[in-house]
Amino acid sequence: MTSEPREFRDEDLRGARFVESDLSDVVIRGSEISGMQIDAPWLPFGKPLTVNGVDVVAYVEGELNRRFPGRDQWRASDPDGLRRAWRSVEDA
């Protein structure tokens, strides 16, 4: 579904939930975002996610890998790598 770009100005979207929605290329400027949550498991596969001009994808991926040992091995490309990854899953 494609549509013309829309601008929401002075709108109150507090508490809104966007589920299985395409928010690609959304720009947020001068808006209150405290408490905002983003859960996008495919984050490293798309365009950069920037906050105040800083690409935060590498930071987010690093933090998730720190919290979930073995997560960084899920892209193993050979049988030995897959075995190590599976051991990490079992150990977790």
Side-chain angles (χ1 to χ4, degrees):
M1 177 176 135
T2 59
S3 62
E4 293 297 316
R6 291 173 283 179
E7 181 170 300
F8 300 94
R9 185 174 291 270
D10 296 323
E11 295 290 335
D12 186 345
L13 298 175
R14 281 182 282 189
R17 291 179 60 92
F18 299 90
V19 180
E20 296 180 18
S21 299
D22 186 351
L23 298 176
S24 300
D25 300 319
V26 166
V27 175
I28 300 172
R29 298 269 189 259
S31 298
E32 178 60 52
I33 61 167
S34 63
M36 183 178 193
Q37 298 179 29
I38 299 173
D39 182 1
W42 44 90
L43 189 62
F45 305 110
K47 295 178 183 177
L49 172 65
T50 60
V51 176
N52 292 340
V54 177
D55 183 350
V56 298
V57 174
Y59 170 77
V60 171
E61 288 296 298
E63 181 62 16
L64 289 172
N65 290 343
R66 185 187 69 77
R67 291 180 183 188
F68 304 103
R71 180 182 180 275
D72 59 338
Q73 299 170 3
W74 74 273
R75 292 183 219 148
S77 60
D78 59 48
D80 287 334
L82 291 171
R83 280 190 276 281
R84 283 191 300 277
W86 185 249
R87 274 195 297 275
S88 294
V89 169
E90 289 180 320
D91 291 345

Coordinates of all heavy atoms in Angstrom, one line a residue:
M1 N 0.8 -1.2 0.0 CA 0.0 0.0 0.0 C 0.9 1.2 0.0 O 1.7 1.4 0.9 CB -0.9 0.0 1.2 CG -1.7 1.2 1.4 SD -2.8 1.0 2.8 CE -2.6 2.6 3.5
T2 N 0.8 2.1 -1.0 CA 1.5 3.3 -1.0 C 0.5 4.5 -0.8 O -0.6 4.4 -1.3 CB 2.3 3.5 -2.3 OG1 1.3 3.4 -3.4 CG2 3.3 2.4 -2.5
S3 N 1.0 5.5 -0.2 CA 0.1 6.7 0.0 C 1.0 7.9 0.0 O 2.2 7.9 0.1 CB -0.6 6.6 1.3 OG 0.3 6.5 2.4
E4 N 0.3 9.0 -0.2 CA 1.0 10.3 -0.1 C 1.6 10.5 1.3 O 1.0 10.1 2.3 CB 0.0 11.4 -0.5 CG -0.4 11.4 -1.9 CD 0.7 11.6 -2.9 OE1 1.5 12.5 -2.8 OE2 0.7 10.8 -3.9
P5 N 2.7 11.2 1.4 CA 3.3 11.5 2.7 C 2.3 12.4 3.5 O 1.6 13.2 2.9 CB 4.5 12.4 2.4 CG 4.9 12.0 1.0 CD 3.6 11.7 0.3
R6 N 2.1 12.1 4.8 CA 1.2 12.8 5.6 C 2.0 13.5 6.7 O 3.0 13.0 7.2 CB 0.2 11.9 6.2 CG -0.8 11.3 5.2 CD -1.7 10.3 5.7 NE -0.9 9.1 5.8 CZ -1.3 7.9 6.3 NH1 -2.6 7.8 6.8 NH2 -0.6 6.9 6.3
E7 N 1.5 14.6 7.2 CA 2.1 15.3 8.3 C 1.1 15.4 9.5 O 0.0 15.8 9.2 CB 2.6 16.7 7.9 CG 3.3 17.4 9.1 CD 4.0 18.7 8.7 OE1 4.9 18.6 7.8 OE2 3.6 19.7 9.2
F8 N 1.5 15.0 10.6 CA 0.7 15.1 11.8 C 1.3 16.2 12.6 O 2.5 16.1 13.1 CB 0.7 13.8 12.6 CG 0.2 12.6 11.9 CD1 1.0 11.8 11.2 CD2 -1.2 12.4 11.9 CE1 0.5 10.7 10.5 CE2 -1.7 11.3 11.2 CZ -0.8 10.4 10.5
R9 N 0.6 17.3 12.8 CA 1.1 18.4 13.5 C 0.2 18.7 14.8 O -1.0 18.7 14.6 CB 1.2 19.6 12.6 CG 1.8 20.9 13.2 CD 2.0 22.0 12.2 NE 2.9 21.7 11.2 CZ 4.2 22.0 11.3 NH1 4.7 22.6 12.4 NH2 5.1 21.7 10.3
D10 N 0.9 18.9 15.9 CA 0.2 19.1 17.2 C -0.9 18.0 17.4 O -2.0 18.3 17.9 CB -0.5 20.5 17.1 CG 0.5 21.6 17.1 OD1 1.6 21.5 17.7 OD2 0.3 22.6 16.4
E11 N -0.6 16.8 17.1 CA -1.5 15.7 17.4 C -1.1 15.0 18.7 O 0.1 14.9 19.0 CB -1.4 14.7 16.2 CG -1.9 15.2 14.9 CD -3.4 15.4 14.9 OE1 -4.1 14.7 15.7 OE2 -3.9 16.2 14.1
D12 N -2.0 14.5 19.4 CA -1.7 13.7 20.6 C -1.9 12.2 20.3 O -3.0 11.7 20.1 CB -2.7 14.1 21.7 CG -2.4 13.5 23.0 OD1 -1.6 12.5 23.1 OD2 -2.9 13.9 24.1
L13 N -0.8 11.5 20.1 CA -0.8 10.1 19.8 C -0.4 9.3 21.0 O 0.0 8.1 20.9 CB 0.1 9.8 18.6 CG -0.3 10.5 17.3 CD1 0.7 10.2 16.2 CD2 -1.7 10.0 16.9
R14 N -0.5 9.9 22.2 CA -0.1 9.1 23.4 C -0.8 7.8 23.5 O -2.1 7.8 23.3 CB -0.4 10.0 24.7 CG 0.7 11.0 24.9 CD 0.4 11.7 26.2 NE -0.7 12.7 25.9 CZ -1.1 13.6 26.7 NH1 -0.6 13.7 27.9 NH2 -2.0 14.5 26.3
G15 N -0.1 6.8 23.8 CA -0.7 5.5 24.0 C -1.0 4.7 22.7 O -1.5 3.6 22.8
A16 N -0.8 5.3 21.6 CA -1.0 4.6 20.3 C -0.1 3.4 20.2 O 1.0 3.4 20.6 CB -0.9 5.6 19.1
R17 N -0.6 2.4 19.5 CA 0.2 1.2 19.2 C 0.1 1.0 17.7 O -0.9 1.0 17.2 CB -0.4 0.0 20.0 CG -0.2 0.0 21.5 CD -0.8 -1.2 22.1 NE -0.1 -2.5 21.7 CZ 0.9 -3.0 22.3 NH1 1.4 -2.5 23.3 NH2 1.4 -4.2 21.8
F18 N 1.3 0.8 17.2 CA 1.4 0.4 15.7 C 1.9 -1.0 15.7 O 3.0 -1.3 16.1 CB 2.3 1.4 15.0 CG 1.9 2.8 15.1 CD1 2.3 3.6 16.1 CD2 1.1 3.3 14.1 CE1 1.9 5.0 16.2 CE2 0.7 4.7 14.1 CZ 1.1 5.5 15.2
V19 N 1.1 -1.9 15.2 CA 1.4 -3.3 15.2 C 1.4 -3.8 13.7 O 0.4 -3.5 13.0 CB 0.4 -4.2 16.0 CG1 0.7 -5.6 16.0 CG2 0.4 -3.7 17.5
E20 N 2.5 -4.5 13.3 CA 2.6 -4.9 12.0 C 2.3 -3.8 11.0 O 1.6 -4.0 10.0 CB 1.7 -6.2 11.7 CG 2.2 -7.3 12.6 CD 1.3 -8.6 12.4 OE1 0.6 -8.7 11.4 OE2 1.4 -9.5 13.3
S21 N 2.9 -2.7 11.2 CA 2.7 -1.5 10.4 C 4.0 -1.1 9.8 O 5.0 -1.4 10.3 CB 2.2 -0.3 11.3 OG 1.0 -0.6 11.9
D22 N 3.9 -0.4 8.6 CA 5.1 0.0 7.9 C 5.3 1.5 8.3 O 4.6 2.4 7.9 CB 4.9 -0.1 6.4 CG 6.2 0.2 5.7 OD1 7.1 0.7 6.3 OD2 6.2 0.0 4.4
L23 N 6.3 1.7 9.1 CA 6.7 3.1 9.5 C 8.0 3.5 8.9 O 8.7 4.4 9.4 CB 6.7 3.2 11.1 CG 5.4 2.9 11.8 CD1 5.6 2.9 13.3 CD2 4.3 3.9 11.4
S24 N 8.4 2.8 7.8 CA 9.6 3.1 7.1 C 9.7 4.6 6.8 O 8.7 5.2 6.4 CB 9.8 2.3 5.8 OG 9.7 1.0 6.1
D25 N 10.9 5.2 6.9 CA 11.1 6.6 6.6 C 10.3 7.6 7.3 O 10.2 8.8 6.9 CB 10.9 6.8 5.1 CG 11.9 5.9 4.3 OD1 13.1 5.8 4.7 OD2 11.5 5.3 3.2
V26 N 9.7 7.2 8.5 CA 9.0 8.2 9.3 C 10.1 9.1 9.9 O 11.2 8.7 10.3 CB 8.3 7.4 10.5 CG1 7.8 8.4 11.6 CG2 7.1 6.7 9.9
V27 N 9.7 10.4 10.0 CA 10.6 11.4 10.6 C 9.8 12.0 11.8 O 8.7 12.4 11.6 CB 11.0 12.5 9.6 CG1 11.8 13.6 10.2 CG2 11.7 11.9 8.4
I28 N 10.5 12.1 12.9 CA 9.9 12.7 14.1 C 10.8 13.9 14.5 O 12.0 13.7 14.7 CB 9.9 11.7 15.3 CG1 9.0 10.5 14.9 CG2 9.3 12.4 16.5 CD1 9.1 9.3 15.9
R29 N 10.2 15.0 14.5 CA 11.0 16.3 14.8 C 10.2 17.0 15.9 O 9.0 17.2 15.9 CB 11.0 17.2 13.6 CG 11.8 16.6 12.4 CD 13.3 17.0 12.5 NE 13.9 16.6 11.2 CZ 14.6 15.5 11.1 NH1 14.8 14.7 12.1 NH2 15.2 15.2 10.0
G30 N 11.0 17.5 16.9 CA 10.5 18.3 17.9 C 9.3 17.8 18.7 O 8.4 18.5 19.0
S31 N 9.3 16.4 18.8 CA 8.1 15.8 19.5 C 8.5 15.1 20.7 O 9.7 14.6 20.9 CB 7.5 14.7 18.5 OG 7.1 15.4 17.3
E32 N 7.6 15.0 21.7 CA 7.9 14.3 22.9 C 7.8 12.8 22.6 O 6.9 12.3 22.1 CB 6.8 14.7 23.9 CG 6.9 14.0 25.3 CD 8.2 14.2 26.0 OE1 8.6 15.4 26.1 OE2 8.9 13.3 26.4
I33 N 8.9 12.1 23.0 CA 8.9 10.6 22.8 C 9.3 9.9 24.1 O 9.6 8.7 24.0 CB 9.9 10.3 21.7 CG1 11.3 10.7 22.0 CG2 9.5 10.9 20.4 CD1 12.4 10.1 21.2
S34 N 9.2 10.5 25.3 CA 9.5 9.8 26.5 C 8.6 8.5 26.6 O 7.4 8.6 26.4 CB 9.4 10.7 27.7 OG 8.1 11.1 27.9
G35 N 9.3 7.4 26.9 CA 8.5 6.2 27.1 C 8.3 5.4 25.8 O 7.7 4.4 25.8
M36 N 8.7 6.0 24.7 CA 8.5 5.3 23.4 C 9.2 4.0 23.4 O 10.4 3.9 23.8 CB 9.0 6.2 22.3 CG 8.8 5.7 20.9 SD 9.4 6.9 19.7 CE 8.7 6.3 18.2
Q37 N 8.6 3.0 22.8 CA 9.2 1.7 22.7 C 9.2 1.2 21.2 O 8.2 1.4 20.6 CB 8.4 0.6 23.5 CG 8.4 0.9 25.0 CD 7.6 -0.1 25.7 OE1 7.5 -1.3 25.3 NE2 7.0 0.3 26.8
I38 N 10.3 0.7 20.8 CA 10.4 0.1 19.4 C 10.9 -1.3 19.6 O 11.9 -1.6 20.2 CB 11.4 0.9 18.6 CG1 10.9 2.4 18.4 CG2 11.6 0.3 17.2 CD1 12.0 3.3 17.7
D39 N 10.2 -2.2 19.0 CA 10.6 -3.6 19.0 C 10.6 -4.1 17.5 O 9.5 -4.3 16.9 CB 9.6 -4.5 19.8 CG 10.1 -5.9 19.8 OD1 11.1 -6.3 19.3 OD2 9.4 -6.7 20.5
A40 N 11.8 -4.1 16.9 CA 11.9 -4.5 15.5 C 13.0 -5.5 15.3 O 14.2 -5.1 15.2 CB 12.1 -3.2 14.6
P41 N 12.7 -6.8 15.3 CA 13.8 -7.8 15.3 C 14.6 -7.7 14.0 O 15.7 -8.2 13.9 CB 13.0 -9.1 15.4 CG 11.6 -8.8 15.4 CD 11.4 -7.3 15.4
W42 N 14.1 -7.1 13.0 CA 14.8 -7.0 11.7 C 15.5 -5.7 11.6 O 16.0 -5.3 10.5 CB 13.8 -7.2 10.5 CG 12.6 -6.4 10.7 CD1 12.4 -5.1 10.3 CD2 11.4 -6.8 11.4 NE1 11.1 -4.7 10.7 CE2 10.5 -5.7 11.3 CE3 11.0 -8.0 12.0 CZ2 9.2 -5.8 11.9 CZ3 9.8 -8.0 12.6 CH2 8.9 -7.0 12.6
L43 N 15.8 -5.0 12.6 CA 16.4 -3.7 12.7 C 17.7 -3.7 11.9 O 18.0 -2.8 11.1 CB 16.6 -3.3 14.1 CG 17.1 -1.9 14.4 CD1 16.1 -0.8 13.8 CD2 17.3 -1.6 15.8
P44 N 18.6 -4.7 12.0 CA 19.9 -4.6 11.3 C 19.8 -4.8 9.8 O 20.8 -4.6 9.1 CB 20.7 -5.7 12.0 CG 19.8 -6.6 12.6 CD 18.6 -5.8 12.9
F45 N 18.7 -5.1 9.3 CA 18.6 -5.5 7.9 C 18.0 -4.3 7.1 O 17.9 -4.4 5.8 CB 17.7 -6.7 7.7 CG 18.2 -7.9 8.5 CD1 17.5 -8.3 9.6 CD2 19.4 -8.5 8.1 CE1 18.0 -9.4 10.3 CE2 19.9 -9.5 8.9 CZ 19.2 -10.0 10.0
G46 N 17.6 -3.2 7.7 CA 17.0 -2.1 6.9 C 17.9 -0.9 6.9 O 19.1 -1.0 7.1
K47 N 17.3 0.2 6.6 CA 18.0 1.5 6.7 C 18.4 1.8 8.1 O 17.8 1.3 9.0 CB 17.1 2.6 6.1 CG 16.8 2.4 4.7 CD 15.8 3.6 4.2 CE 15.4 3.4 2.8 NZ 14.5 4.5 2.4
P48 N 19.4 2.7 8.3 CA 19.8 3.0 9.7 C 18.6 3.6 10.5 O 17.7 4.3 9.9 CB 20.8 4.1 9.4 CG 21.3 3.9 8.1 CD 20.1 3.4 7.3
L49 N 18.6 3.4 11.8 CA 17.7 4.0 12.7 C 18.5 5.1 13.4 O 19.5 4.7 14.1 CB 17.1 3.0 13.7 CG 16.3 3.7 14.8 CD1 15.1 4.3 14.3 CD2 16.0 2.6 15.9
T50 N 18.2 6.3 13.2 CA 19.0 7.4 13.8 C 18.2 8.1 14.9 O 17.0 8.3 14.8 CB 19.5 8.4 12.8 OG1 18.3 9.0 12.1 CG2 20.3 7.7 11.7
V51 N 18.9 8.5 15.9 CA 18.4 9.3 17.0 C 19.3 10.5 17.1 O 20.5 10.4 17.3 CB 18.3 8.5 18.4 CG1 17.8 9.4 19.5 CG2 17.5 7.3 18.2
N52 N 18.7 11.7 16.9 CA 19.5 12.9 16.9 C 20.7 12.8 16.0 O 21.8 13.3 16.3 CB 19.9 13.3 18.3 CG 18.7 13.7 19.2 OD1 17.6 14.0 18.7 ND2 18.9 13.7 20.5
G53 N 20.5 12.2 14.8 CA 21.5 12.1 13.8 C 22.5 10.9 14.0 O 23.4 10.8 13.2
V54 N 22.4 10.1 15.1 CA 23.3 9.1 15.4 C 22.6 7.7 15.0 O 21.5 7.4 15.5 CB 23.7 9.1 16.8 CG1 24.6 7.9 17.2 CG2 24.4 10.4 17.2
D55 N 23.3 6.9 14.2 CA 22.8 5.6 13.9 C 23.0 4.7 15.1 O 24.1 4.5 15.6 CB 23.6 5.0 12.7 CG 23.1 3.6 12.2 OD1 22.2 3.0 12.9 OD2 23.6 3.2 11.2
V56 N 21.9 4.2 15.7 CA 21.9 3.5 16.9 C 21.8 2.0 16.7 O 21.8 1.2 17.7 CB 20.8 4.0 17.9 CG1 21.0 5.4 18.3 CG2 19.4 3.7 17.3
V57 N 21.8 1.5 15.5 CA 21.6 0.1 15.3 C 22.7 -0.8 15.9 O 22.4 -1.8 16.6 CB 21.4 -0.2 13.8 CG1 21.4 -1.7 13.5 CG2 20.1 0.4 13.2
A58 N 24.0 -0.4 15.7 CA 25.1 -1.2 16.2 C 25.0 -1.2 17.7 O 25.3 -2.2 18.3 CB 26.4 -0.6 15.7
Y59 N 24.7 -0.1 18.3 CA 24.6 -0.1 19.8 C 23.5 -1.0 20.3 O 23.7 -1.8 21.2 CB 24.2 1.4 20.3 CG 23.9 1.4 21.8 CD1 24.9 1.3 22.7 CD2 22.6 1.5 22.2 CE1 24.5 1.3 24.1 CE2 22.2 1.5 23.5 CZ 23.2 1.4 24.5 OH 22.9 1.3 25.8
V60 N 22.3 -1.0 19.6 CA 21.2 -1.8 20.0 C 21.6 -3.3 19.9 O 21.3 -4.1 20.7 CB 19.9 -1.5 19.2 CG1 18.8 -2.5 19.4 CG2 19.4 -0.1 19.6
E61 N 22.2 -3.6 18.7 CA 22.6 -5.0 18.5 C 23.6 -5.5 19.5 O 23.5 -6.6 20.0 CB 23.1 -5.2 17.1 CG 22.1 -5.1 16.0 CD 21.1 -6.2 16.1 OE1 21.5 -7.4 16.0 OE2 19.9 -6.0 16.3
G62 N 24.6 -4.6 19.8 CA 25.6 -5.0 20.8 C 25.0 -5.2 22.2 O 25.3 -6.1 22.9
E63 N 24.0 -4.3 22.6 CA 23.4 -4.5 23.9 C 22.5 -5.8 23.9 O 22.5 -6.5 24.9 CB 22.5 -3.3 24.2 CG 21.8 -3.3 25.5 CD 22.7 -3.3 26.7 OE1 23.9 -3.0 26.6 OE2 22.2 -3.6 27.8
L64 N 21.8 -6.1 22.9 CA 21.0 -7.3 22.8 C 22.0 -8.5 22.9 O 21.6 -9.5 23.6 CB 20.1 -7.4 21.6 CG 19.0 -6.4 21.6 CD1 18.3 -6.4 20.2 CD2 18.0 -6.7 22.7
N65 N 23.1 -8.5 22.2 CA 24.0 -9.6 22.3 C 24.6 -9.7 23.7 O 24.9 -10.9 24.1 CB 25.2 -9.4 21.3 CG 24.7 -9.5 19.8 OD1 23.6 -10.1 19.6 ND2 25.5 -9.0 18.9
R66 N 24.8 -8.6 24.4 CA 25.3 -8.7 25.8 C 24.3 -9.3 26.7 O 24.6 -10.2 27.5 CB 25.7 -7.3 26.3 CG 26.3 -7.3 27.7 CD 26.5 -5.8 28.2 NE 25.2 -5.2 28.5 CZ 24.5 -5.4 29.6 NH1 24.8 -6.3 30.4 NH2 23.3 -4.8 29.8
R67 N 23.0 -9.0 26.5 CA 21.9 -9.5 27.3 C 21.6 -10.9 27.1 O 21.2 -11.7 27.9 CB 20.7 -8.7 27.1 CG 20.7 -7.3 27.7 CD 19.4 -6.6 27.4 NE 19.5 -5.2 27.8 CZ 18.5 -4.4 27.9 NH1 17.3 -4.8 27.5 NH2 18.6 -3.1 28.3
F68 N 21.8 -11.4 25.8 CA 21.4 -12.7 25.4 C 22.7 -13.4 24.8 O 22.9 -13.4 23.6 CB 20.3 -12.7 24.4 CG 19.1 -12.0 24.9 CD1 18.8 -10.7 24.5 CD2 18.2 -12.6 25.8 CE1 17.7 -10.0 24.9 CE2 17.1 -11.9 26.3 CZ 16.8 -10.6 25.9
P69 N 23.5 -14.0 25.7 CA 24.7 -14.7 25.2 C 24.4 -15.7 24.1 O 23.4 -16.5 24.2 CB 25.3 -15.4 26.4 CG 24.7 -14.5 27.6 CD 23.4 -14.1 27.1
G70 N 25.2 -15.7 23.0 CA 24.9 -16.6 21.9 C 24.1 -16.0 20.8 O 24.1 -16.6 19.7
R71 N 23.4 -14.9 21.1 CA 22.6 -14.3 20.1 C 23.4 -13.9 18.9 O 22.9 -14.0 17.7 CB 21.9 -13.1 20.7 CG 21.0 -12.3 19.7 CD 20.4 -11.1 20.4 NE 19.5 -10.4 19.5 CZ 20.0 -9.5 18.6 NH1 21.2 -9.2 18.5 NH2 19.1 -8.9 17.8
D72 N 24.6 -13.4 19.1 CA 25.4 -13.0 17.9 C 25.8 -14.2 17.0 O 26.4 -13.9 15.9 CB 26.7 -12.3 18.4 CG 27.5 -13.1 19.3 OD1 27.0 -14.1 19.9 OD2 28.7 -12.7 19.5
Q73 N 25.6 -15.4 17.4 CA 26.0 -16.5 16.6 C 24.8 -17.1 15.8 O 25.0 -18.0 15.0 CB 26.4 -17.7 17.6 CG 27.6 -17.3 18.4 CD 27.9 -18.3 19.5 OE1 27.3 -19.4 19.5 NE2 28.9 -18.1 20.3
W74 N 23.7 -16.4 15.8 CA 22.5 -17.0 15.1 C 22.7 -16.9 13.6 O 22.0 -17.6 12.8 CB 21.3 -16.2 15.5 CG 21.1 -14.9 15.0 CD1 21.6 -13.7 15.5 CD2 20.4 -14.5 13.8 NE1 21.2 -12.6 14.8 CE2 20.5 -13.1 13.7 CE3 19.7 -15.1 12.8 CZ2 19.9 -12.3 12.7 CZ3 19.1 -14.4 11.8 CH2 19.2 -13.0 11.7
R75 N 23.7 -16.2 13.1 CA 23.9 -16.1 11.6 C 25.1 -17.1 11.2 O 25.7 -16.8 10.2 CB 24.2 -14.7 11.2 CG 23.1 -13.8 11.3 CD 23.4 -12.4 10.8 NE 22.7 -11.5 11.7 CZ 23.2 -10.3 12.0 NH1 24.3 -9.9 11.5 NH2 22.5 -9.5 12.8
A76 N 25.3 -18.1 12.0 CA 26.4 -19.0 11.7 C 26.3 -19.5 10.2 O 25.2 -19.8 9.8 CB 26.4 -20.2 12.6
S77 N 27.4 -19.6 9.5 CA 27.4 -20.0 8.1 C 28.0 -21.4 7.8 O 28.0 -21.8 6.7 CB 28.1 -19.0 7.3 OG 29.4 -18.9 7.7
D78 N 28.4 -22.1 8.9 CA 28.9 -23.4 8.7 C 28.5 -24.3 9.8 O 28.0 -23.9 10.9 CB 30.5 -23.4 8.6 CG 31.1 -22.8 9.9 OD1 30.7 -23.2 11.0 OD2 32.0 -21.9 9.7
P79 N 28.6 -25.7 9.6 CA 28.1 -26.6 10.7 C 28.7 -26.4 12.0 O 28.0 -26.5 13.1 CB 28.4 -28.0 10.1 CG 28.5 -27.8 8.6 CD 29.0 -26.4 8.4
D80 N 30.0 -26.1 12.1 CA 30.6 -25.9 13.4 C 30.1 -24.6 14.1 O 29.8 -24.6 15.3 CB 32.2 -25.8 13.3 CG 32.8 -27.1 12.9 OD1 32.3 -28.1 13.3 OD2 33.9 -27.1 12.3
G81 N 29.9 -23.6 13.3 CA 29.3 -22.4 13.9 C 27.9 -22.6 14.4 O 27.5 -22.1 15.4
L82 N 27.1 -23.4 13.6 CA 25.7 -23.8 14.1 C 25.8 -24.6 15.4 O 24.9 -24.4 16.2 CB 25.0 -24.5 13.0 CG 24.7 -23.7 11.7 CD1 24.1 -24.6 10.6 CD2 23.6 -22.6 12.1
R83 N 26.7 -25.5 15.5 CA 26.9 -26.3 16.7 C 27.2 -25.4 17.9 O 26.6 -25.6 19.0 CB 27.9 -27.4 16.5 CG 27.4 -28.6 15.8 CD 28.4 -29.8 15.9 NE 29.5 -29.6 14.8 CZ 29.3 -30.0 13.5 NH1 28.2 -30.5 13.1 NH2 30.3 -29.8 12.7
R84 N 28.1 -24.5 17.7 CA 28.5 -23.6 18.8 C 27.2 -22.7 19.2 O 27.0 -22.5 20.4 CB 29.6 -22.7 18.4 CG 31.0 -23.3 18.4 CD 32.1 -22.3 18.2 NE 32.1 -21.6 17.0 CZ 32.5 -22.1 15.8 NH1 33.1 -23.3 15.8 NH2 32.4 -21.3 14.7
A85 N 26.5 -22.3 18.2 CA 25.3 -21.5 18.4 C 24.3 -22.3 19.2 O 23.7 -21.8 20.2 CB 24.7 -21.0 17.1
W86 N 24.1 -23.5 18.8 CA 23.1 -24.4 19.5 C 23.5 -24.6 21.0 O 22.7 -24.6 21.9 CB 22.9 -25.7 18.8 CG 21.8 -26.5 19.4 CD1 21.9 -27.6 20.1 CD2 20.4 -26.1 19.5 NE1 20.7 -28.1 20.6 CE2 19.8 -27.1 20.2 CE3 19.7 -25.1 19.0 CZ2 18.4 -27.1 20.4 CZ3 18.3 -25.1 19.2 CH2 17.7 -26.1 20.0
R87 N 24.8 -24.8 21.2 CA 25.3 -25.0 22.6 C 25.1 -23.7 23.4 O 24.7 -23.8 24.6 CB 26.8 -25.3 22.6 CG 27.1 -26.8 22.4 CD 28.6 -27.1 22.8 NE 29.5 -26.5 21.9 CZ 29.9 -27.0 20.7 NH1 29.4 -28.1 20.2 NH2 30.8 -26.3 20.0
S88 N 25.2 -22.6 22.8 CA 25.0 -21.3 23.5 C 23.5 -21.2 23.9 O 23.1 -20.8 25.0 CB 25.3 -20.1 22.6 OG 26.7 -20.1 22.4
V89 N 22.6 -21.6 23.0 CA 21.2 -21.6 23.3 C 20.9 -22.6 24.4 O 20.2 -22.2 25.3 CB 20.4 -22.0 22.0 CG1 18.9 -22.3 22.4 CG2 20.5 -20.9 20.9
E90 N 21.4 -23.8 24.4 CA 21.2 -24.7 25.4 C 21.8 -24.2 26.8 O 21.1 -24.4 27.8 CB 21.8 -26.1 25.1 CG 21.1 -26.8 24.0 CD 21.7 -28.1 23.6 OE1 22.9 -28.3 23.6 OE2 20.9 -29.1 23.4
D91 N 22.9 -23.6 26.7 CA 23.5 -23.1 28.0 C 22.7 -22.0 28.6 O 22.7 -21.8 29.8 CB 25.0 -22.6 27.7 CG 25.9 -23.8 27.4 OD1 25.6 -25.0 27.7 OD2 27.0 -23.5 26.9
A92 N 22.1 -21.2 27.7 CA 21.3 -20.1 28.2 C 20.1 -20.6 28.9 O 19.5 -20.0 29.8 CB 20.9 -19.2 27.0

